[in-house]
Amino acid sequence: MKYLKIFIILLSFSLIFACSKGDEVVVKAGSSKLTKKELQEDLKSLPPQTKVFLPSPEGVNRLKDELIKREVLYEEAKKKDLAKSEEFKRRVEEFKKITLINMLLEQELKNLPQVTEKDAKDYYEKNKDQFIKPTEIRLSQIVVKNEEEAKKVYEKIDKGEDFGNIAKELSKDEKTKASGGDIGFFKKGQLSPQIENVAFNLKKGQISMPLNLNGNLYIFKVTDVKGTAVEFEQIKEQLTEQLRAKKQQEWFNSYIEELKKKHKVEVNEKALQEILNQNLIGGKPEETPQKTK
């Protein structure tokens, strides 16, 4: 299906057919026809950066070439009766499902309040410690021997348990566990590159993924940051987008929970596991044990 999207990098169709009628045929290949209206619908998804190519004569020729490719391929597919195949029907149904889901989400998201610059500014003022360009950070650590122990650490973190208390309970590093894993302040250049690349990209209060160092797994938390605050104007667009994404994700999670209550959901766990075993794990479906006589 990839070739059907090739033309999105090309130029606006309006330059070529500005005087065409709404239903005029733009390209014809055998019995296949592409009308102006159909093409205009296709080109609505053009990204803004693509439109810089609109005035180019080369773009006009490339557009025509891509439209011809699309229609001759479509005509050939019809001649081979691929539309009658079960695979085609399956793909069409899948496409319909995804399209309807996207249309539903687009419709529902229209009712979601937009994140404004004021919202971003308010968040910035209340959380300035998140927007410090660090020159020095204070770290705490938990050291474990394997992934199973690391999993236990993250389970406790997810439950809201204090990082320092978890370090006292589970950390294997005897030198730091008594202090809740605190290892002090560090400036850039004082840590190994592997640790520094991770730690200096964490914000205050954030916890790292486990790092494999010297045969153990290290989990770090930034407990304090010293440095200079990033000006709001430098990050307002990025922050607004982050808050928008967060709001949409929160709405989506809530919306899904509502729909689960509204629509009866049933999962055949046995059938699901059999499919996973056959197609992903590479195993065979379990056979029902037979009694021995």
Side-chain angles (χ1 to χ4, degrees):
M1 303 299 290
K2 192 174 181 180
Y3 55 82
L4 294 179
K5 296 297 182 182
I6 295 175
F7 63 89
I8 67 170
I9 64 171
L10 303 176
L11 308 187
S12 171
F13 178 65
S14 60
L15 286 176
I16 317 169
F17 300 99
C19 299
S20 300
K21 297 178 182 179
D23 60 351
E24 186 172 353
V25 174
V26 180
V27 177
K28 181 179 179 182
S31 63
S32 298
K33 298 176 182 179
L34 179 69
T35 66
K36 176 183 177 182
K37 184 176 180 180
E38 290 169 337
L39 184 55
Q40 285 175 326
E41 287 299 314
D42 287 338
L43 295 181
K44 283 182 179 179
S45 60
L46 274 174
Q49 60 269 29
T50 302
K51 294 181 181 179
V52 300
F53 298 105
L54 296 184
S56 167
E58 179 188 356
V60 173
N61 290 327
R62 289 193 62 188
L63 176 59
K64 289 189 289 186
D65 288 342
E66 296 302 331
L67 296 180
I68 290 169
K69 289 176 187 177
R70 169 173 154 164
E71 293 309 308
V72 295
L73 287 167
Y74 178 48
E75 181 69 5
E76 182 65 13
K78 290 196 300 179
K79 293 292 184 184
K80 291 183 180 294
D81 286 332
L82 293 179
K84 297 179 181 179
S85 69
E86 291 302 314
E87 177 63 14
F88 173 75
K89 295 174 184 177
R90 185 192 67 78
R91 292 192 189 189
V92 168
E93 287 304 311
E94 184 63 23
F95 176 76
K96 285 165 60 177
K97 182 187 293 188
I98 297 301
T99 301
L100 284 172
I101 289 172
N102 287 336
M103 289 177 65
L104 171 67
L105 294 177
E106 288 171 5
Q107 176 179 292
E108 295 298 323
L109 281 170
K110 288 179 182 177
N111 300 320
L112 194 67
Q114 294 297 309
V115 175
T116 64
E117 184 175 319
K118 182 180 183 304
D119 294 329
K121 179 68 172 178
D122 290 343
Y123 184 89
Y124 172 84
E125 293 295 338
K126 293 176 182 177
N127 300 275
K128 277 190 175 181
D129 60 340
Q130 294 185 19
F131 306 102
I132 295 175
K133 188 174 182 180
T135 55
E136 196 173 355
I137 58 174
R138 186 169 191 170
L139 289 177
S140 289
Q141 68 178 18
I142 296 175
V143 184
V144 293
K145 291 183 178 180
N146 52 51
E147 291 183 3
E148 188 61 32
E149 292 181 358
K151 183 179 178 182
K152 291 179 183 178
V153 171
Y154 286 109
E155 286 175 350
K156 288 180 173 290
I157 291 171
D158 289 340
K159 290 178 183 177
E161 294 189 31
D162 180 72
F163 189 91
N165 291 336
I166 301 172
K168 291 177 182 179
E169 178 187 352
L170 299 179
S171 183
K172 306 301 179 184
D173 186 67
E174 297 298 332
K175 293 181 180 179
T176 60
K177 66 182 300 180
S179 63
D182 181 58
I183 55 177
F185 277 97
F186 296 90
K187 296 179 180 179
K188 283 194 173 183
Q190 292 182 322
L191 294 165
S192 70
Q194 190 176 1
I195 298 176
E196 184 172 296
N197 289 339
V198 172
F200 274 86
N201 282 304
L202 295 174
K203 294 179 181 178
K204 183 179 178 180
Q206 284 188 328
I207 297 167
S208 74
M209 295 298 290
L211 280 179
N212 194 330
L213 301 167
N214 302 319
N216 290 316
L217 295 178
Y218 285 69
I219 300 167
F220 295 101
K221 179 179 180 179
V222 173
T223 58
D224 200 2
V225 177
K226 294 181 180 179
T228 56
V230 179
E231 294 294 330
F232 175 70
E233 290 299 319
Q234 293 179 264
I235 59 167
K236 67 177 181 181
E237 292 183 6
Q238 178 185 355
L239 179 56
T240 301
E241 185 57 38
Q242 288 176 352
L243 293 177
R244 182 182 296 114
K246 181 180 179 183
K247 176 177 280 192
Q248 290 180 353
Q249 186 62 55
E250 290 173 348
W251 166 83
F252 180 76
N253 293 340
S254 175
Y255 185 56
I256 291 297
E257 292 306 313
E258 290 178 13
L259 294 181
K260 286 179 181 178
K261 296 174 183 177
K262 181 178 179 181
H263 304 289
K264 185 178 180 180
V265 177
E266 297 179 5
V267 178
N268 187 330
E269 299 287 352
K270 181 181 178 182
L272 175 61
Q273 192 59 52
E274 287 178 352
I275 291 296
L276 292 176
N277 289 342
Q278 292 177 51
N279 294 277
L280 299 180
I281 304 174
K284 296 180 179 179
E286 295 182 3
E287 296 182 358
T288 304
Q290 300 294 320
K291 290 183 179 181
T292 57
K293 295 182 179 180

